[in-house]
Structures are given as structure tokens and as C-alpha cells.
Amino acid sequence: MVRPMCRNHASTSDQSSTARSPGHTRILLVLAAIAIGSGAATADTLYRCTDALGSTLYTNESANKSGCAPLGTYPDRPSMVQEPEREVPKARPECVGGDCSIKIAKSKDGHFYVDGAVNGTKVRFLVDTGSSGIVLSQSTASQANVYGSKSVLMRTAGGTVSGTIALEVPISIANRPPINFEVAINPSIDEATSLLGQSYLKMFKVTIQGSTMELSP
């Protein structure tokens, strides 16, 4: 129960029935705030009561006596509603394994390159859909400890050259697991160039849209 008192002398009681002063308005606002914050179980009604001596009493207690008039009803203090915790979306794991598509952006020179590995050694392959197999430069083969077991003649755009063939060489690209392939070692190609040809690409559906090549299982 809130019982703030504001007593006026009999000589000024008539003024209270006239226009409300700014100070009177402030009192009402303060009392309204008190009533709202009182935490009552039900809605509170603020009453203005005047006794026989002209004294004024403001109360939120139900008034059963004459001389009291309700000033307004104030709702219960709103209960705090705790919002459920929002689930933070988990970062999508990087696709690993044989069921993943591989997207390759076109390089400035117009070719498509993909990072991979030869016998566990990192290699940057040039994706060559016109090559029948996987071709390593002599430098790349040496770094990966890959050595040819038989000699072979290879037909290239520049003519026929001598090279060697190595068997059961682990090859992988992107995050795919390594698979053993037969590879050719061509000592005439650029040291930094190794070709990823159809013997590997045949495992994929190869599509090119704009500047992106996609290898889909």
C-alpha cells in the first residue's frame, strides 16, 4: 500500500479544486510511477481522497469511503520474458572425401590450376582435358621421389619426346584421398608444370561455366 501524503491548509483547499498547477501534475506523475512499480498482484487504482478538514490523501488502497475518487488504473508491472537462446549456426565443415565437388577458378593466363599431391609432395597441377594421362616434369618427379621404371615415347604438341613411366604413384587433388595411378615423366616440359589429364579426370563430370571449372563426382 502506498500512502504518500500531500496536506493542504483549509485556507487553500478551494484552490485544489481549480486548475491543476504544474507542481500538482508532477505529484500525480510521481505517484503514478510508485503505483506502477509497487509489484501488486493485480492492477492498481490510484485514488484521491479529501477528508472533512480539506486534507488530500493519495492512495492505491481500495477506497470504501466517501470523498475518494479514482484517478486512473495502472496495469501490473510486466513480467520479464526471457527469450530462448538462439542456436548459433555451426560453420559448415569443409568437404572432404570422394563425394565432394571441386570448383576451380580460371587463372589469369586462361588455364585452370588445382593444388594436389604426388606421393605426399605438394604439387600444382594444370588441368589438361586434352592430355590422356598424368604427366610430371622431371623436377616434380625427383622432388616426389618418383622414378620411371620403363622408357616410353610421348607425343606432345611440340613433337615426340622420350620419357619414362612410373607405376602405382599416389595422386590426390584438393581434399580427396590419394589414389595410385600410372604417371608419365616428361623431362622436356617446364619444371613447374605437371599435367592432370584424363586418366584422373575421367572419375569426374567436368563442366566449365564462365571462369569456373567444376569437377563433380
Side-chain angles (χ1 to χ4, degrees):
M1 180 179 69
V2 180
R3 292 180 177 273
M5 297 292 296
C6 178
R7 296 186 178 276
N8 299 327
H9 295 292
S11 60
T12 60
S13 60
D14 293 339
Q15 296 179 3
S16 63
S17 62
T18 59
R20 295 175 180 174
S21 66
H24 188 87
T25 302
R26 285 194 295 270
I27 293 174
L28 290 179
L29 292 175
V30 172
L31 291 170
I34 294 174
I36 293 174
S38 62
T42 58
D44 287 334
T45 300
L46 188 63
Y47 294 89
R48 181 177 183 272
C49 303
T50 305
D51 60 16
L53 299 177
S55 299
T56 301
L57 169 66
Y58 293 91
T59 178
N60 64 344
E61 186 179 72
S62 299
N64 297 319
K65 52 187 177 181
S66 61
C68 294
L71 296 179
T73 301
Y74 302 93
D76 295 342
R77 182 170 50 191
S79 59
M80 297 297 292
V81 178
Q82 185 175 2
E83 295 185 1
E85 293 184 2
R86 296 181 181 180
E87 183 178 353
V88 179
K90 297 181 179 179
R92 185 177 180 180
E94 186 177 7
C95 187
V96 177
D99 296 331
C100 305
S101 294
I102 302 170
K103 292 184 178 181
I104 307 169
K106 182 183 291 186
S107 181
K108 292 181 180 180
D109 63 5
H111 296 294
F112 294 93
Y113 296 91
V114 62
D115 292 328
V118 175
N119 200 24
T121 300
K122 292 182 178 180
V123 173
R124 190 177 188 226
F125 287 105
L126 186 156
V127 181
D128 186 357
T129 57
S131 174
S132 60
I134 300 169
V135 182
L136 306 180
S137 67
Q138 184 63 63
S139 175
T140 299
S142 298
Q143 292 175 11
N145 293 318
V146 174
Y147 304 98
S149 58
K150 62 179 180 178
S151 297
V152 66
L153 291 177
M154 292 179 284
R155 294 179 181 177
T156 68
T160 301
V161 297
S162 297
T164 56
I165 295 293
L167 305 175
E168 301 295 318
V169 179
I171 303 292
S172 63
I173 63 171
N175 291 310
R176 295 178 65 87
I179 302 175
N180 290 340
F181 285 89
E182 177 182 292
V183 302
I185 302 171
N186 186 347
S188 67
I189 63 175
D190 185 89
E191 292 184 359
T193 302
S194 291
L195 306 179
L196 190 69
Q198 288 297 336
S199 61
Y200 192 94
L201 297 176
K202 67 182 181 182
M203 298 187 300
F204 301 91
K205 175 184 177 182
V206 181
T207 57
I208 299 176
Q209 291 186 342
S211 59
T212 302
M213 173 186 285
E214 183 170 0
L215 308 181
S216 305

